Amino acid sequence: MRNIICHRHFSPVTLGLLLVALLLLPSCKDNSKSRIVEPKDSPAILSIPAPDYDYGRLKARAGEKEHDFLIVNEGGEPLVIAGVKPYCHCTRVDYPKHPIKPGHGARLRVFLNPADVGWGAFSRTIAIFPQDLPSQTITVRGTVVSD
């Protein structure tokens, strides 16, 4: 029987990389379906690892800016976001409409229009209303400067 992998065709480095790739391949998972945290044995728990974001200096006519907040369900039951409320007409929010599985996360995207904020420093709060849980808030801030 002829040897399929011959040392004349593959260097030791290439063989080593191939072996490592084959060993790691079964452990690769789709990140969108893998757990972020190990869920607790409890009802849904809303966690926001980074609830504040600073846009820095924004030009008034720079157009709409966006930022994604990660929201995580640390509980043992699915988490449903019943709604969100931006407290300024300068922001709008796209939030997950589907239940977030235990231990998983989802993206909550905030859009901000600097032209609607006004000049100078700003801080805007957005309330998140999970079903059957107390509300939580996230904050975006920055400074609007002249063009």
Side-chain angles (χ1 to χ4, degrees):
M1 181 178 212
R2 187 171 179 207
N3 188 357
I4 295 174
I5 299 178
C6 177
H7 71 278
R8 286 181 275 162
H9 298 299
F10 296 100
S11 72
V13 173
T14 303
L15 287 174
L17 290 174
L18 182 61
L19 180 62
V20 169
L22 290 173
L23 291 173
L24 293 178
L25 188 62
S27 68
C28 293
K29 294 180 181 175
D30 179 1
N31 286 337
S32 65
K33 296 182 180 183
S34 62
R35 286 186 179 164
I36 294 174
V37 297
E38 190 61 36
K40 297 176 175 76
D41 186 24
S42 66
I45 299 171
L46 172 61
S47 173
I48 308 168
D52 300 302
Y53 180 73
D54 190 339
Y55 281 103
R57 296 171 58 89
L58 299 171
K59 292 186 178 182
R61 288 185 267 187
E64 190 172 69
K65 301 295 179 185
E66 61 187 58
H67 176 71
D68 289 344
F69 287 88
L70 173 65
I71 56 176
V72 180
N73 180 5
E74 292 186 356
E77 298 292 326
L79 171 67
V80 175
I81 303 298
V84 298
K85 181 178 180 175
Y87 289 104
C88 175
H89 69 281
C90 61
T91 55
R92 63 185 178 86
V93 182
D94 181 24
Y95 65 96
K97 310 299 190 281
H98 61 278
I100 302 167
K101 296 177 185 177
H104 292 248
R107 178 190 75 213
L108 188 140
R109 181 168 285 172
V110 174
F111 300 89
L112 175 96
N113 188 346
D116 293 339
V117 173
W119 300 102
F122 68 89
S123 178
R124 300 295 185 262
T125 302
I126 297 143
I128 303 168
F129 299 98
Q131 187 174 357
D132 301 326
L133 295 172
S135 65
Q136 292 192 34
T137 59
I138 55 176
T139 303
V140 293
R141 57 181 46 93
T143 303
V144 177
V145 297
S146 66
D147 295 328

